[in-house]
């Protein structure tokens, strides 16, 4: 994904030249990328990341519920089998990715923080 500065550079190159190919050469990217950013600007979607719906999206709340109930220990193959019984038609790989993402977000605030013991010099030595 391009940074805001890179996108602005692409759009400035297009405004300067008026050509996708020439702007792509100036900005160091494909003319298809220039066209995408120019169309996004014209539609008022500049800076928004496009996200397509996935087959697992309707099942994510149930998957997150299983991760929460198992304290992050639910296995992806077991979750996939349960989802198939519920009508999920996606691949096992998609389920593994979704379980991994749910487990990662579950564990974010639940990690132990390591703080090394640093005694004052000479105080604990005997």
């Amino acid at each position: 994904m391009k940074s805001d500065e890179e996108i602005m550079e692409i759009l400035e190159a297009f405004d300067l030249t008026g050509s996708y190919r020439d702007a792509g050469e100036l900005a160091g990217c494909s003319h298809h990328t220039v066209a995408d950013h120019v169309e996004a600007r014209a539609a008022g979607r500049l800076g928004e990341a496009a996200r397509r719906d996935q087959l697992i999206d309707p099942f994510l709340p149930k998957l997150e519920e299983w991760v929460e109930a198992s304290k992050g220990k639910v296995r992806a193959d077991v979750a996939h089998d349960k989802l198939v019984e519920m009508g999920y038609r996606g691949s096992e790989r998609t389920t593994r990715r979704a379980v991994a993402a749910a487990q990662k977000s579950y564990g974010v605030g639940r990690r132990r923080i390591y703080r090394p013991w640093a005694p004052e010099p000479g105080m604990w030595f005997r």
Side-chain angles (χ1 to χ4, degrees), residues 27-48:
C29 64
S30 169
H31 62 279
H32 298 290
T33 304
V34 175
D36 289 342
H37 289 300
V38 170
E39 290 170 10
R41 178 176 66 177
R45 298 181 286 114
L46 189 60
E48 292 180 9

Side-chain angles (χ1 to χ4, degrees), residues 74-124:
V74 67
R75 290 183 15 205
D77 58 337
V78 174
H80 179 74
D81 293 340
K82 289 181 180 181
L83 289 175
V84 167
E85 290 175 6
M86 293 172 59
Y88 174 63
R89 297 180 302 128
S91 69
E92 189 171 348
R93 178 67 184 135
T94 302
T95 305
R96 284 195 310 241
R97 287 182 181 142
V99 169
Q103 287 173 338
K104 184 177 180 181
S105 67
Y106 172 80
V108 166
R110 294 175 174 83
R111 289 207 169 76
R112 181 177 178 269
I113 298 173
Y114 173 72
R115 292 188 181 103
W117 182 60
E120 294 179 27
M123 186 170 181
W124 296 98

